[in-house]
Amino acid sequence: MKDSFDLRREQLEKMNKLTRLRAPAKKKEIPADLFTACPQCGNYLSNRIWYDNLYVCPNCNKHLRIGVKNRLRIIMDDGYEFIDQPSEFRNPIEFPGYQEKWQKAYENTDADEAIVFVKGTIEAELVIVGVMDTNFLMGSLGSIVGDRIIKALGRAQEEQLPLIIFTASGGARMQEAIISLMQMRYVSEAVGRFQRAGGLYISVMTDPTTGGVTASFASLGNIILTEPGTLIAFAGPRVIRDTIRQELPEGFQTAEHLVEHGFVDRIIERKNLKESLGKLLRLHNSKQNKVEYKEEDYQKDKFLPIQTNQEESAQESQELTAFQRVKKARDPHRICPRQVLEFLCQDIFELKGDRLYADDPTICGGLATLGGLPITFVHTKKGRDLDSQMKLNFGMPHPEGYRKARRLMQEAEDFGRPILTIIDTPGAYPGLGSENRGMGEALAQNLRFMSSLRTPTIALITGEAGSGGAIALACSDKLFMLENAVYTILSPEGFATILWKDVSKVEEAAANMRLTAQDMFELNVCDQVFPDDLSGLKQAIANTFNQLIEEKKENVK
Amino acid sequence: MFRKILIANRGEIAVRIMRSCREMGIDTVMVYSTADSNALHVQLASEAYCIGGPLPKDSYLNMQAILTVALETGCEAIHPGYGLLSENADFANMVEEVGLKFIGPCGATIDALGDKANARRLMIEADVPVPPGSDGILPNAEVAIELAEKAGYPVLIKAAAGGGGRGMRRIDNAEQMIAMFNEATLEAQNAFGDGSLYLEKLIENPKHIEFQILADQQGNVIHLGDRDCSWQRRRQKVIEETPCTRLSDQLRNEMGEAAIRAIKAVEYEGAGTVEFVLDKNNKFYFIEVNTRIQVEHPITEMVTGIDIVREQIRIASGASLPITQSEMQIRGHAIECRINAEKPSDNFRPSPGKIKNYIMPGGRSVRIDSAIYPGYEISPYYDSMIAKIIVHGNNRSHAIRRMRRCLEELIIDGVDTNAGLLYVSLFEQSMIRGTYDTSTLESSLDDLLEYETIFHLPDSAELNPEEDNELVLPEER
């Protein structure tokens, strides 16, 4: 039957040639601004839908590249102003044909150079925002781009405003050769100046961020965000293929890949980007300088654990043996650091990566507010079921986890934020990779770093606190423990093995090595002990931080 | 109203009649030949009886067998359809004699109108225009020449008892008359058992216009408008349409009234068709009355909304006409194309065979009357018409475009058909303008066939090149 249809089609085509008296209808071009296919899944959508969907494919979540106009529409509140001087063509190395090319880009793009800056508000927070446009000579880093960034940083510093740059670039501008390379140095220097002066610089890497831009201001953000699927690279895939002829694995150099490798804080969907930036700006711009829990915060002063053993009264819990407390501390259903964080804090915004090697999911850190006061938090994670425990390495962090913690605490120090660490770990991970990447060094650095912090710090041990891996997060001004938490030089099992070469003597070891919260309090290791239901913790944390803030203020004077 | 009717026909008209019967709640009995056991009219029937061999005379013309089935199965009436026994006065009489109702006029009426010379006389009496010619039978060639000179050559001499062109001669001068007269007499004698001839002036290249008539037993007669059946080849209608563009309202009324007078000239009941020719000067002349349902009746149904077969049955059961002449309304325009299993480029050779597959057109205002289905074997014993496509449109050009569209959709696999010729015909200038006459198709046939080649099926070898290769391979080794 198919053949018959085909044959009929042919026949009618021939017949049509004879019988069409009218001229054939003029083929109308589909207007270029009507439909666009998704470059990833091929989904054909009207541009109206693309526009309404912020140029994100509703089918495969591909985030399309967008120009200046759309980026500003998505990010900014109404009423921003452009702050750059009008661009005037320069040809620093007299490169032939550059002017024509530049002129063409100038005429055909929303922007007048590869970056434009505006001043305006994001969720009512005043900020200076730069947006790069790949439609303009591939968003390359020319001398005008460099100048504009430096000027914008200067102005942000002068007016004490945060600065956000949306990067999108192929890298250096070839037509300006070495002058373009110099821009990498100039802008990095300017970023440093701005940050040392206390400025907040958020870099948002958008598709694609490569070459000299990645290797300068894009990677220098206090916070680095990106959108899903963004290509982020120094040497782009084509360059790698053409120079060293190496085949690249799938997903290489994507935003997801970079988060895994610790170079980006967060991937944020475009639709959430404005809200996230607003939150980060508020966290940095807060004028509040002490913890101020409200009345209703204190109404929820007790934490109801997931499992309550009702037979066990408070009285009995007084009489537990040391090893019984070890077992309680290790109970996977016990209150975990994340729960404590959520009990104490709001506006939690996690930041990832050590900017060196990887993001360790076992140590989690970021920004939050504690009774309205912005703080930096760091806490360990263990997992409750086998799946999550395996992903989290049974709560044993790698060196990159400690380095991430240190990076975040450095940010906290720079912006004067108090730090809260919440600890439940059997210890740092003993293994090949850990040693190769210098676990000892990572712990040592943290001990020195934390001990010398000027910003107030509180550490809270909720379960196990094993050895160096715990103390590297616990060199705080004050150390709090829950009543069934334990703090050890090493596990009672290891203790028994080393001392008596007999692991069955673990209970005896636990009893003798002094590891309970009460022991710690008595040994002056810990400052205060709280019941497992956290009653009194909020008040104590608030009072302690406020007291520390006052003390440090006086010290500065 | 009848409770059970025997349908003494086959193919699409048998199915067509059965459909109306079912809609009226009347049981039907089908008869069939041994060649037709798979035919659609048998397959759709609730009751069907084989009445003989493939040749029509053994089955569909086998009056005794048909009557036996009708009586044995308790039928009350017989619908003869068209062709076969439909205009057989003997059969009509026999049906009445065994106490059944023949759906159509009585035998005497069929006879009176079937004798063409007699009919011509009746029409003259009824003041219906007939072509100039003889008042009755021609006694000899000499009288014929005298009459022919009076009417003006060319003339036709026709068999009084005949039809379908046999025993008919075109005569252009006296010499030809002398030469042909005896030959025609002999042919008529052989064909019809009666050598009587009559003479008529030949109306050259006229339009063939016919009027659909309904007459009830109470003596009411109405016409349902005209049909232009001029797109013919060898007197076989191919495309029919209604209403005819050449007719003014006044002329249509005149012809309609003449048609009614023609029917009233005899004692008539049921459906009938009065055929006229219309010459270049829009003068019309009576040709004959067809005392049966016609192939092209659906186009009249399309524009009037009247189910003619239903009315035939109602009239036969004694009911009176549903409307009067003044209530009859023509809406829009309708066209019918007859799809024949034949090969136009090979002198219209019949193309029997198996229908492998087909796609019938559909959609708004499209009607298909057909009795084929995928897998159906078209028998060589019967008529080659396998389907009728009927379309209705708001106006003529609308209907033509709709018919073209239908033919573009139509696919019949397995046999050659004239569908391509029909399609290209709908682009012919006089067809588009509506000015064609009975000679147009034949005179433009060569041109049309040239375009028709576009619709030829490729040879089977072209269709299955792989199979050919398989046959060649062993020899190559």
Side-chain angles (χ1 to χ4, degrees):
Chain A
M1 203 64 218
K2 176 78 170 60
D3 292 344
S4 304
F5 285 128
D6 291 345
L7 179 65
R8 169 50 48 94
R9 207 172 295 118
E10 275 173 40
Q11 291 170 344
L12 289 177
E13 266 168 33
K14 285 185 207 161
M15 192 66 199
N16 264 347
K17 279 180 200 148
L18 300 172
T19 59
R20 280 279 168 223
L21 299 177
R22 285 172 300 162
K26 266 221 180 102
K27 195 173 148 190
K28 281 198 189 114
E29 293 294 323
I30 296 174
D33 56 352
L34 204 57
F35 286 100
T36 307
C38 172
Q40 185 162 287
C41 69
N43 199 5
Y44 228 60
L45 296 173
S46 88
N47 276 8
R48 182 75 225 169
I49 294 174
W50 281 116
Y51 179 90
D52 290 346
N53 225 28
L54 313 182
Y55 296 90
V56 175
C57 176
N59 184 37
C60 69
N61 204 35
K62 169 76 179 172
H63 283 51
L64 261 58
R65 295 177 184 179
I66 51 177
V68 165
K69 218 195 269 173
N70 276 307
R71 178 62 70 184
L72 291 172
R73 166 176 76 90
I74 292 166
I75 295 300
M76 301 301 293
D77 301 337
D78 290 341
Y80 52 85
E81 49 162 336
F82 289 87
I83 59 170
D84 306 297
Q85 296 290 321
S87 65
E88 254 175 65
F89 176 70
R90 310 172 189 164
N91 198 346
I93 63 161
E94 305 287 325
F95 192 82
Y98 180 23
Q99 178 152 21
E100 291 72 40
K101 224 169 168 187
W102 188 91
Q103 201 64 37
K104 211 172 142 199
Y106 182 90
E107 276 154 23
N108 297 328
T109 317
D110 297 342
D112 63 346
E113 242 297 348
I115 194 165
V116 296
F117 281 91
V118 299
K119 182 178 162 184
T121 57
I122 296 174
E123 298 205 325
E125 294 288 329
L126 196 58
V127 63
I128 290 176
V129 173
V131 179
M132 301 188 82
D133 195 328
T134 51
N135 297 317
F136 197 103
L137 296 176
M138 210 42 221
S140 53
L141 175 55
S143 58
I144 298 178
V145 174
D147 282 0
R148 282 187 170 184
I149 295 171
I150 293 163
K151 280 214 179 93
L153 285 160
R155 180 156 178 184
Q157 189 175 333
E158 206 174 287
E159 301 182 18
Q160 299 202 323
L161 293 175
L163 183 98
I164 301 173
I165 296 181
F166 290 86
T167 61
S169 174
R173 186 164 298 175
M174 289 301 131
Q175 292 87 344
E176 297 187 19
I178 194 68
I179 303 302
S180 175
L181 189 74
M182 289 303 120
Q183 303 309 315
M184 293 167 65
R185 174 193 163 169
Y186 299 152
V187 295
S188 301
E189 187 187 343
V191 168
R193 208 160 42 230
F194 175 70
Q195 288 174 326
R196 274 195 304 282
L200 168 68
Y201 163 44
I202 299 175
S203 163
V204 185
M205 296 180 168
T206 70
D207 195 52
T209 295
T210 59
V213 169
T214 309
S216 62
F217 59 98
S219 296
L220 295 174
N222 297 92
I223 293 167
I224 302 176
L225 303 178
T226 183
E227 293 180 329
T230 303
L231 171 73
I232 304 168
F234 173 60
R238 201 167 49 112
V239 177
I240 297 180
R241 219 170 288 132
D242 292 352
T243 50
I244 66 166
R245 313 219 171 271
Q246 188 170 17
E247 274 309 308
L248 303 171
E250 203 172 323
F252 182 69
Q253 295 183 327
T254 59
E256 292 72 12
H257 183 257
L258 265 86
V259 168
E260 221 173 278
H261 285 264
F263 295 104
V264 170
D265 281 297
R266 282 283 289 279
I267 297 171
I268 311 281
E269 303 244 339
R270 190 171 287 165
K271 61 173 187 286
N272 301 327
L273 204 46
K274 181 173 185 173
E275 191 196 340
S276 298
L277 287 170
K279 199 168 174 183
L280 287 172
L281 291 172
R282 271 192 300 279
L283 281 163
H284 280 84
N285 202 23
S286 172
K287 298 284 176 287
Q288 197 170 329
N289 54 12
K290 57 192 259 203
V291 183
E292 281 175 355
Y293 277 122
K294 298 194 186 81
E295 276 303 308
E296 62 258 35
D297 292 327
Y298 285 123
Q299 278 165 15
K300 255 183 66 191
D301 195 32
K302 273 191 184 174
F303 183 83
L304 296 174
I306 299 168
Q307 285 188 336
T308 49
N309 196 339
Q310 297 191 340
E311 290 164 27
E312 195 179 282
S313 68
Q315 190 67 32
E316 279 172 87
S317 115
Q318 289 293 315
E319 293 156 10
L320 292 176
T321 67
F323 190 65
Q324 278 171 319
R325 288 196 197 276
V326 170
K327 280 199 197 151
K328 271 182 98 70
R330 289 175 180 173
D331 182 353
H333 297 294
R334 179 178 175 73
I335 185 167
C336 72
R338 185 72 183 193
Q339 286 172 316
V340 176
L341 180 74
E342 284 166 5
F343 175 76
L344 294 172
C345 294
Q346 282 174 323
D347 307 319
I348 296 167
F349 193 94
E350 201 182 328
L351 301 169
K352 295 183 174 184
D354 65 350
R355 300 282 159 83
L356 291 169
Y357 175 76
D359 177 63
D360 184 354
T362 311
I363 290 182
C364 176
L367 304 176
T369 58
L370 183 83
L373 179 73
I375 63 156
T376 289
F377 70 87
V378 172
H379 70 78
T380 59
K381 274 169 120 176
K382 248 182 185 171
R384 293 199 195 280
D385 53 59
L386 192 61
D387 253 13
S388 57
Q389 283 167 345
M390 282 174 64
K391 267 186 207 133
L392 296 167
N393 203 29
F394 296 91
M396 293 181 283
H398 283 88
E400 45 271 24
Y402 295 102
R403 289 180 178 132
K404 166 163 76 176
R406 188 161 82 239
R407 177 179 82 81
L408 295 175
M409 288 192 273
Q410 178 67 60
E411 290 284 321
E413 177 84 344
D414 292 346
F415 288 99
R417 277 191 297 267
I419 298 166
L420 173 68
T421 64
I422 309 172
I423 302 156
D424 178 17
T425 174
Y429 181 62
L432 188 68
S434 272
E435 294 300 320
N436 282 347
R437 298 195 291 281
M439 180 62 95
E441 192 267 358
L443 298 177
Q445 290 282 359
N446 270 26
L447 297 178
R448 181 173 69 185
F449 176 78
M450 265 195 98
S451 306
S452 61
L453 280 171
R454 278 171 289 129
T455 195
T457 53
I458 297 175
L460 169 71
I461 299 169
T462 64
E464 290 178 283
S467 190
I471 198 172
L473 297 175
C475 300
S476 49
D477 297 326
K478 298 284 177 195
L479 178 68
F480 295 168
M481 288 181 77
L482 298 188
E483 62 171 325
N484 286 315
V486 295
Y487 197 0
T488 56
I489 175 71
L490 81 168
S491 69
E493 290 85 350
F495 194 94
T497 313
I498 289 174
L499 216 53
W500 303 308
K501 307 209 167 20
D502 184 357
V503 76
S504 69
K505 293 193 175 170
V506 59
E507 288 195 43
E508 195 185 334
N512 288 312
M513 64 192 283
R514 301 293 299 272
L515 47 64
T516 67
Q518 196 55 40
D519 293 336
M520 294 308 123
F521 187 71
E522 283 162 16
L523 291 170
N524 262 339
V525 171
C526 149
D527 297 284
Q528 211 173 331
V529 179
F530 297 89
D532 283 358
D533 66 7
L534 309 185
S535 52
L537 181 65
K538 260 184 193 168
Q539 187 79 56
I541 293 253
N543 292 344
T544 310
F545 264 139
N546 289 342
Q547 198 185 328
L548 287 168
I549 290 164
E550 284 306 313
E551 280 172 21
K552 302 241 171 178
K553 243 189 230 166
E554 276 164 27
N555 285 353
V556 172
K557 279 173 192 167
Chain B
M1 183 54 61
F2 306 117
R3 276 160 297 180
K4 197 168 189 180
I5 290 176
L6 183 136
I7 298 168
N9 214 302
R10 64 177 302 282
E12 67 89 14
I13 193 63
V15 173
R16 160 73 188 92
I17 295 163
M18 181 173 64
R19 283 175 175 152
S20 278
C21 288
R22 287 199 171 162
E23 288 166 11
M24 297 170 81
I26 298 169
D27 292 336
T28 54
V29 175
M30 288 290 183
V31 291
Y32 63 97
S33 75
T34 51
D36 263 351
S37 56
N38 289 323
L40 193 63
H41 74 279
V42 181
Q43 296 304 315
L44 290 181
S46 51
E47 229 180 310
Y49 298 92
C50 182
I51 48 167
L55 290 175
K57 72 173 174 60
D58 296 333
S59 49
Y60 297 109
L61 296 178
N62 185 340
M63 296 185 235
Q64 193 193 349
I66 292 168
L67 288 172
T68 307
V69 171
L71 291 170
E72 286 292 324
T73 55
C75 289
E76 294 160 297
I78 293 178
H79 196 304
Y82 56 65
L84 299 174
L85 294 171
S86 63
E87 288 179 288
N88 187 312
D90 289 344
F91 181 63
N93 289 333
M94 282 168 75
V95 172
E96 302 288 334
E97 276 164 32
V98 298
L100 303 178
K101 179 73 184 127
F102 180 79
I103 298 178
C106 65
T109 304
I110 295 171
D111 260 344
L113 294 170
D115 181 332
K116 302 304 173 190
N118 185 46
R120 182 177 160 82
R121 191 179 48 75
L122 284 170
M123 292 308 136
I124 292 166
E125 282 168 16
D127 196 18
V128 176
V130 295
S134 59
D135 286 342
I137 308 301
L138 294 170
N140 54 49
E142 286 69 37
V143 179
I145 288 168
E146 198 178 307
L147 286 167
E149 273 163 5
K150 204 166 126 200
Y153 287 107
V155 297
L156 288 174
I157 48 175
K158 295 175 168 183
R166 272 195 288 184
M168 188 162 79
R169 291 289 183 282
R170 175 195 165 118
I171 308 292
D172 287 311
N173 50 47
E175 288 83 58
Q176 272 188 1
M177 182 71 84
I178 293 159
M180 300 278 194
F181 192 87
N182 287 337
E183 192 184 308
T185 306
L186 257 174
E187 191 175 315
Q189 179 69 43
N190 289 341
F192 311 110
D194 177 359
S196 315
L197 299 176
Y198 69 103
L199 180 142
E200 261 180 16
K201 178 174 168 54
L202 173 66
I203 312 296
E204 279 191 292
N205 303 340
K207 261 191 177 296
H208 174 119
I209 309 286
E210 59 185 30
F211 276 74
Q212 177 69 50
I213 298 292
L214 287 178
D216 63 22
Q217 293 172 6
Q218 290 72 33
N220 303 306
V221 181
I222 59 167
H223 73 81
L224 300 180
D226 63 282
R227 291 190 287 257
D228 182 347
C229 311
S230 309
W231 198 260
Q232 307 181 340
R233 178 182 162 271
R234 298 197 180 165
R235 309 187 69 82
Q236 288 295 309
K237 298 163 188 170
V238 178
I239 297 176
E240 300 99 340
E241 63 175 308
T242 179
C244 170
T245 45
R246 273 269 290 279
L247 302 188
S248 64
D249 285 349
Q250 194 199 337
L251 183 54
R252 181 172 294 110
N253 285 339
E254 272 176 39
M255 290 177 78
E257 281 163 19
I260 290 172
R261 283 201 301 279
I263 289 295
K264 284 188 168 167
V266 291
E267 216 172 283
Y268 200 90
E269 74 160 88
T273 302
V274 182
E275 292 190 355
F276 297 102
V277 288
L278 186 69
D279 73 8
K280 298 268 182 295
N281 304 316
N282 279 353
K283 288 194 74 175
F284 64 90
Y285 302 100
F286 171 87
I287 300 297
E288 63 177 5
V289 176
N290 294 315
T291 61
R292 51 170 163 85
I293 189 81
Q294 280 193 284
V295 174
E296 60 272 26
H297 76 277
I299 58 174
T300 298
E301 296 184 328
M302 288 296 235
V303 295
T304 61
I306 290 171
D307 179 340
I308 296 171
V309 170
R310 181 189 170 93
E311 293 312 321
Q312 281 187 300
I313 295 168
R314 288 183 70 252
I315 289 166
S317 74
S320 42
L321 293 178
I323 56 167
T324 62
Q325 189 65 58
S326 60
E327 287 166 346
M328 196 277 296
Q329 277 192 338
I330 304 290
R331 260 191 57 254
H333 201 94
I335 303 180
E336 173 182 272
C337 278
R338 301 187 186 191
I339 312 294
N340 298 329
E342 64 191 10
K343 191 165 186 181
S345 59
D346 193 1
N347 200 24
F348 293 84
R349 174 176 56 76
S351 175
K354 190 176 248 186
I355 306 282
K356 285 189 204 140
N357 245 324
Y358 77 8
I359 295 288
M360 279 293 168
R364 193 173 134 76
S365 300
V366 174
R367 168 172 168 179
I368 307 293
D369 277 19
S370 172
I372 60 169
Y373 55 83
Y376 175 65
E377 183 101 30
I378 298 170
S379 162
Y381 294 105
Y382 311 110
D383 196 74
S384 63
M385 191 183 79
I386 52 173
K388 302 187 301 201
I389 300 176
I390 305 104
V391 300
H392 183 256
N394 297 336
N395 52 47
R396 188 166 184 275
S397 77
H398 187 188
I400 288 178
R401 283 166 187 275
R402 181 164 278 156
M403 181 59 86
R404 287 180 191 160
R405 184 270 288 172
C406 284
L407 291 168
E408 286 164 10
E409 286 175 26
L410 175 78
I411 289 176
I412 297 176
D413 254 9
V415 296
D416 292 310
T417 73
N418 65 335
L421 177 63
L422 290 166
Y423 183 66
V424 297
S425 297
L426 292 172
F427 290 92
E428 202 274 337
Q429 281 201 2
S430 63
M431 169 59 79
I432 290 169
R433 292 175 187 155
T435 57
Y436 61 91
D437 59 45
T438 48
S439 69
T440 310
L441 173 55
E442 284 185 68
S443 60
S444 58
L445 192 58
D446 287 345
D447 286 344
L448 293 173
L449 285 177
E450 201 173 301
Y451 294 120
E452 191 256 353
T453 56
I454 287 174
F455 294 93
H456 284 187
L457 290 171
D459 290 341
S460 53
E462 281 174 55
L463 267 180
N464 294 313
E466 298 93 338
E467 279 179 27
D468 264 7
N469 286 347
E470 276 173 31
L471 288 173
V472 173
L473 270 176
E475 287 179 12
E476 282 179 351
R477 280 178 203 157

